[in-house]
Amino acid sequence: MTAVTRRWLVLFAWANLVANIGIVVTGGAVRLTGSGLGCPTWPRCSDESYVPHGELGLHGAIEFGNRMLTFAVGAIAIAAFVAAWRSGDKRARLLALLIGLYIPAQAVIGGITVLTDLNPWVVSFHFLSSMVIIGLCVLLLDHLLAEPRAAAGPRTRGLAWTVFTLGWVVLYLGTVVTGSGPHSGDLESKRTGLDPQVMSHVHAWAVYVLVAATVVTLVVARRSGRPLLWTAAVALLALELAQGVVGFWQYLTDLPELLVATHMLGAALTAAAITWVVAASRTRT
């Protein structure tokens, strides 16, 4: 791999990560502004047009704008795959290909959310699919940037995978809380019917377990001489604490839109961090 090709590949790998985190936030903005059905059908914006028209108003413009961002994210993914292909690096090619394929699949899932009138379970799947893409972006960056390292011991690897699994449980339960509360994306959209207060407490207890597992991983990483894993665990712990503050704040203030959007950004960063924890426990040649 030439130095120029490597620089471009790393640049597009970072752009992939930033773009996919960014579109999570803009997707949240669509929901928080009540614009989830601003374009009431898919793939057209309306039965008559692929683009919004005056009758759809600001909500139509917001929803359509988020759809257009998918093309920008897709263009970045294609550029990353081209750079990976030119590099001759087989693992980079595979990861870049998976990211590129996942983006149109995610667009289809987004279309299904519209066609099901923002069914909260489909919306949850749409959000979690974005977390998968973010994780793949982190794996690509780890492959390109990390120094060679041996695999961690079985106990340490087990802890890393425990943190990863708990992180996904927390992310999923967060979508259940969202699906049972306000900010559905449209006034007519149905909710799950679950008690949002009860689900908030279930979500919080899962977070407490995740924090405990992260602290144990951090200590074990320090004692076993795994500096990258220690750094990843510290970053994850900092995110967990910040998310906890935002989560309690939004709970006590009746879910103001700005705090909910901040919490969604934190969730996307958490998805990246739990993937980094697992990657840091694995071998890198």
Side-chain angles (χ1 to χ4, degrees):
M1 185 190 311
T2 67
V4 173
T5 301
R6 177 179 174 77
R7 280 199 300 270
W8 279 109
L9 179 53
V10 171
L11 174 64
F12 287 128
W14 275 113
N16 251 340
L17 177 62
V18 172
N20 280 286
I21 291 174
I23 204 166
V24 168
V25 177
T26 61
V30 171
R31 179 167 59 82
L32 294 170
T33 57
S35 304
L37 294 177
C39 285
T41 189
W42 188 89
R44 293 175 181 265
C45 185
S46 67
D47 290 335
E48 300 80 22
S49 175
Y50 281 97
V51 298
H53 48 76
E55 291 181 4
L56 297 176
L58 179 60
H59 291 316
I62 292 173
E63 163 65 2
F64 183 74
N66 190 64
R67 291 187 184 189
M68 290 300 98
L69 285 176
T70 302
F71 290 99
V73 175
I76 293 170
I78 291 171
F81 177 71
V82 170
W85 187 266
R86 294 185 64 184
S87 73
D89 185 323
K90 292 183 179 180
R91 183 166 177 80
R93 285 177 176 178
L94 175 61
L95 289 169
L97 177 63
L98 290 174
I99 294 166
L101 291 177
Y102 224 117
I103 289 170
Q106 179 71 321
V108 172
I109 297 169
I112 295 172
T113 67
V114 173
L115 296 176
T116 57
D117 294 328
L118 305 183
N119 180 292
W121 302 110
V122 181
V123 172
S124 169
F125 183 57
H126 188 42
F127 176 81
L128 294 173
S129 294
S130 287
M131 302 301 103
V132 173
I133 301 174
I134 289 168
L136 290 171
C137 292
V138 170
L139 291 178
L140 178 58
L141 281 167
D142 176 73
H143 173 70
L144 294 172
L145 298 176
E147 296 293 329
R149 60 180 181 261
R155 181 180 67 167
T156 305
R157 290 200 307 274
L159 277 171
W161 278 106
T162 299
V163 166
F164 181 80
T165 303
L166 288 170
W168 269 94
V169 170
V170 166
L171 290 170
Y172 170 71
L173 289 174
T175 68
V176 176
V177 173
T178 299
S180 63
H183 304 310
S184 63
D186 188 84
L187 293 176
E188 303 299 323
S189 297
K190 295 181 180 180
R191 304 280 73 204
T192 63
L194 299 173
D195 187 324
Q197 188 172 20
V198 171
M199 294 312 306
S200 294
H201 287 298
V202 172
H203 176 58
W205 277 104
V207 172
Y208 301 151
V209 177
L210 173 60
V211 170
T214 303
V215 170
V216 173
T217 302
L218 191 154
V219 172
V220 170
R222 172 66 80 181
R223 290 180 176 177
S224 60
R226 305 287 304 188
L228 184 63
L229 179 57
W230 183 85
T231 301
V234 168
L236 176 59
L237 181 61
L239 276 169
E240 290 164 354
L241 296 177
Q243 279 289 81
V245 170
V246 174
F248 276 113
W249 190 3
Q250 69 177 7
Y251 178 78
L252 296 173
T253 54
D254 295 325
L255 303 174
E257 287 81 358
L258 182 59
L259 284 180
V260 175
T262 302
H263 205 51
M264 290 186 69
L265 172 61
L269 294 173
T270 299
I274 60 175
T275 306
W276 189 19
V277 167
V278 167
S281 71
R282 300 176 62 189
T283 187
R284 173 74 175 90
T285 57

